[in-house]
Amino acid sequence: MSSTTTKNFKLNNGVEMPAVGVGCWMGAVGEGDHVTQMVKTALELGYRHVDTAANYGDEESVGKALKETNVPRGEIFLTTKVDQKDHGSVKEAMATSLRKLGVSYVDLYLMHWPMAFDASGGTLQPEESPTFVETWVAMEKLLADGATKAIGVSNFSIKTLETLLAHPSVSIVPAVNQVELHPALPQHDLLAFCTSRGILLMGYAPVGKNKYAAGDTTIAAIARAHSSSVTGAQVLLSWGVQRGTAVIPKSVHEERLRENLQLVELSEEEMATLDAFHMKPGMHHSVCGFHSPDLGGSCFGWTYDQLGWDVVIGGIH
């Protein structure tokens, strides 16, 4: 039987974050009232974590929802992210995000990607300034300013995290690392690494963009074992939370938003089956569209090796 989740994860600085949030990247439909209405509906249904980003172009729409909802600001965990073009102007970027969101602080501020863009939109290489270490040090100052309650990273690997944590100028361990995370890309090693260092792993695309939730026989069988009303998406989100990761599914449909907040208790056997899901032939891969064949396999101008991703062209393991 499913039940509405009220589970929180405690971050390494003591701040609590809801295990299930609503993601606000909506692609082609992510404009204006679409996002505003989605966030308002999600808050009415019981969501208390809203995840957006400067790069999504919808902070003002999220801000409108926050203004119009009856849910007090203090009950909402709000996440946004610094864009790659703003790595050299973190304080200013945060001020812009706060203005667009219509709030005095956010609960979590993430470095969206480790690579920075220059003024013309070109990608800076890892050794070029601002490096992600320099950007992180600038983000640390936002905590003292009260602009955010916690800071973290996104799309970081073990390699990039090790570089960050080993640098002498870094004094704060990221509270969160937000990455693509679903049974076809479980990132077991990254989860173990982050857990050992007190970094909470948060998964975007947690139902694999519905590539498996609706039709895969293994996932469907687990759902049926619980109830005829349990969906594959609920199974995948439950797996994510039970393994100790936060999840941020997204949908503009009220019924799916409601379902995504209803989790089931998976057995050890079911968890093991989903842990091994990526081992099925042809299954271990990313479902996201940001992969490029350039440079022998890359993402936003960094090679997979620079990113620390153990994948080949197309995001395939």
Side-chain angles (χ1 to χ4, degrees):
M1 181 174 292
S2 61
S3 60
T4 301
T5 179
T6 56
K7 179 179 176 63
N8 288 342
F9 288 117
K10 183 171 287 188
L11 304 181
N12 57 22
N13 64 350
V15 172
E16 292 199 354
M17 185 181 78
V20 179
V22 61
C24 293
W25 183 82
M26 301 306 296
V29 299
E31 298 179 1
D33 291 342
H34 291 288
V35 172
T36 298
Q37 186 57 52
M38 179 189 69
V39 173
K40 288 174 62 177
T41 300
L43 291 171
E44 290 169 3
L45 292 172
Y47 286 84
R48 290 298 180 265
H49 180 193
V50 178
D51 178 276
T52 186
N55 176 264
Y56 300 166
D58 62 13
E59 287 177 317
E60 289 178 325
S61 298
V62 171
K64 183 179 179 183
L66 297 178
K67 182 178 180 180
E68 295 177 357
T69 184
N70 292 322
V71 179
R73 170 68 185 95
E75 295 182 12
I76 300 169
F77 190 98
L78 180 60
T79 297
T80 194
K81 311 174 188 76
V82 61
D83 192 16
Q84 291 152 281
K85 65 179 176 57
D86 295 323
H87 278 211
S89 53
V90 168
K91 184 175 182 179
E92 294 79 5
M94 170 62 94
T96 298
S97 288
L98 293 179
R99 176 180 56 77
K100 289 182 175 180
L101 290 164
V103 297
S104 60
Y105 71 94
V106 295
D107 297 271
L108 178 63
Y109 197 51
L110 302 178
M111 190 188 319
H112 205 155
W113 286 88
M115 72 285 287
F117 291 164
D118 62 23
S120 64
T123 302
L124 298 176
Q125 292 305 295
E127 68 282 357
E128 294 182 292
S129 182
T131 66
F132 60 74
V133 170
E134 292 171 332
T135 302
W136 180 256
V137 171
M139 290 174 64
E140 291 183 341
K141 297 176 182 177
L142 297 174
L143 286 170
D145 294 342
T148 183
K149 292 184 177 181
I151 54 175
V153 295
S154 182
N155 298 299
F156 271 57
S157 64
I158 293 175
K159 178 177 180 177
T160 48
L161 281 171
E162 285 182 330
T163 298
L164 180 68
L165 295 174
H167 201 280
S169 64
V170 169
S171 59
I172 297 174
V173 175
V176 169
N177 181 21
Q178 185 183 115
V179 298
E180 181 184 354
L181 207 63
H182 46 77
L185 193 68
Q187 309 233 42
H188 292 310
D189 290 344
L190 181 61
L191 174 57
F193 177 91
C194 288
T195 300
S196 71
R197 287 153 179 82
I199 302 170
L200 179 69
L201 207 58
M202 187 196 311
Y204 64 77
V207 297
K209 295 194 173 180
N210 289 311
K211 292 182 182 290
Y212 317 111
D216 184 84
T217 56
T218 299
I219 295 170
I222 293 175
R224 285 196 305 271
H226 288 267
S227 168
S228 60
S229 63
V230 171
T231 67
Q234 288 171 309
V235 168
L236 299 189
L237 295 173
S238 300
W239 168 80
V241 173
Q242 274 187 233
R243 70 197 294 248
T245 64
V247 294
I248 45 169
K250 58 186 178 64
S251 177
V252 295
H253 303 290
E254 180 174 349
E255 187 55 36
R256 289 180 184 171
L257 283 169
R258 180 179 289 107
E259 289 174 353
N260 288 346
L261 204 57
Q262 307 286 321
L263 302 186
V264 297
E265 184 68 26
L266 300 175
S267 68
E268 290 185 9
E269 181 180 1
E270 289 169 335
M271 288 294 293
T273 296
L274 292 169
D275 283 344
F277 183 83
H278 66 290
M279 299 175 67
K280 296 170 69 171
M283 193 59 72
H284 199 179
H285 58 83
S286 166
V287 299
C288 292
F290 45 59
H291 297 274
S292 170
D294 296 342
L295 307 173
S298 63
C299 181
F300 296 122
W302 278 19
T303 66
Y304 291 147
D305 180 64
Q306 289 173 318
L307 285 160
W309 293 358
D310 185 20
V311 296
V312 296
I313 291 176
I316 301 169
H317 276 254

